[in-house]
Amino acid sequence: MAEIPDAPTKLDQLVEVTAVLRAPGGCPWDADQTHASLVQYLVEETHELIEAIESGNREEMIEELGDVLYQVIFHADIASHTPGEDFDIQDVAEHMTQKMVGRHPHVFGDLELESADDVVAAWDGFKAAEKPSRTSVLDGIPLGMPSLALADKLLGRAQKVGVLDQDAPSIVPVQNEDELGGLLLAIVASAKSQGLDAERALRTTLRGLREEIAEAEAGTDT
């Protein structure tokens, strides 16, 4: 029977436990997993974490953060034993540390930014310096995002290229998220009663918005 290995920290111990589970003589199920086979669990665990955060339950947050953390460690262990990938959790941590330092020159460098608004205004420049290969405001937006989250992301990009006016007045009279949630539910209920697919309808509209953004960028470039 395998024993829980000793390690300097609790996090190191979890990394070692994961390695034991996936090593010869460990758990056959864990050993058989791939990056692709774990995607469904990452999605599930992420949604469970969101629910725990929204409920404000401390114990549930600890558990669900742990589940998401385990997914990250699991993927890193797979990579460490996959030819052509050859990285581990330490490489992941190193890359993230460099990324955070690079994106915060106002903390780790000489740049002076006084407020959160100043940081937001400078954020695109930080990311552009980090990833010069990205030439479109649409780069880096995963189309698999939930449609409402994707809509929010694309609306922000549309404002950046002038497709939408950032200062345009709101045309939907809602004062808070409770009212907004009720309105969104009513829209979905209305669509359902008429045999319409609200998810498909929004995604179809978002494809059109993506095209408008791309066309606006092309016009700017010329």
Side-chain angles (χ1 to χ4, degrees):
M1 178 182 295
E3 295 182 356
I4 298 177
D6 293 330
T9 69
K10 298 298 183 184
L11 181 58
D12 293 327
Q13 193 172 55
L14 178 58
V15 172
E16 291 298 323
V17 164
T18 307
V20 170
L21 289 174
R22 299 198 64 255
C27 174
W29 185 90
D30 289 70
D32 283 347
Q33 299 313 300
T34 66
H35 293 306
S37 71
L38 290 175
V39 168
Q40 61 176 317
Y41 303 108
L42 178 59
V43 172
E44 290 172 8
E45 301 297 359
T46 301
H47 284 294
E48 289 179 9
L49 172 57
I50 292 170
E51 186 172 343
I53 291 172
E54 292 177 346
S55 71
N57 186 301
R58 176 183 181 276
E59 295 305 318
E60 288 184 4
M61 283 183 61
I62 291 174
E63 179 177 354
E64 301 306 338
L65 279 167
D67 287 342
V68 172
L69 174 62
Y70 183 67
Q71 291 296 312
V72 175
I73 292 173
F74 205 143
H75 279 281
D77 190 83
I78 291 173
S80 70
H81 295 90
T82 302
E85 294 183 359
D86 303 317
F87 65 84
D88 61 16
I89 194 65
Q90 299 300 332
D91 296 309
V92 174
E94 179 184 18
H95 182 273
M96 196 63 196
T97 298
Q98 293 175 353
K99 182 176 180 178
M100 287 299 97
V101 170
R103 287 192 179 183
H104 294 81
H106 52 296
V107 177
F108 300 101
D110 298 328
L111 183 65
E112 293 187 9
L113 298 174
E114 299 297 332
S115 69
D117 288 340
D118 292 338
V119 174
V120 171
W123 195 249
D124 286 341
F126 299 160
K127 292 193 292 185
E130 177 187 310
K131 297 185 177 180
S133 61
R134 291 187 175 180
T135 58
S136 169
V137 296
L138 296 172
D139 290 343
I141 300 179
L143 297 181
M145 293 174 67
S147 59
L148 283 176
L150 179 59
D152 183 81
K153 208 76 169 174
L154 289 178
L155 287 170
R157 298 299 195 271
Q159 291 171 346
K160 288 181 183 297
V161 298
V163 171
L164 296 176
D165 183 0
Q166 188 169 3
D167 298 322
S170 172
I171 60 174
V172 180
V174 292
Q175 302 299 319
N176 53 54
E177 290 186 357
D178 287 338
E179 290 184 10
L180 178 59
L183 178 59
L184 290 172
L185 183 60
I187 292 172
V188 175
S190 178
K192 182 177 178 62
S193 69
Q194 299 176 70
L196 302 175
D197 187 327
E199 175 74 14
R200 184 170 61 220
L202 180 54
R203 286 197 171 274
T204 298
T205 300
L206 292 177
R207 281 195 292 272
L209 179 58
R210 280 179 56 85
E211 292 174 1
E212 286 188 62
I213 294 171
E215 290 171 1
E217 284 187 309
T220 301
D221 293 340
T222 57

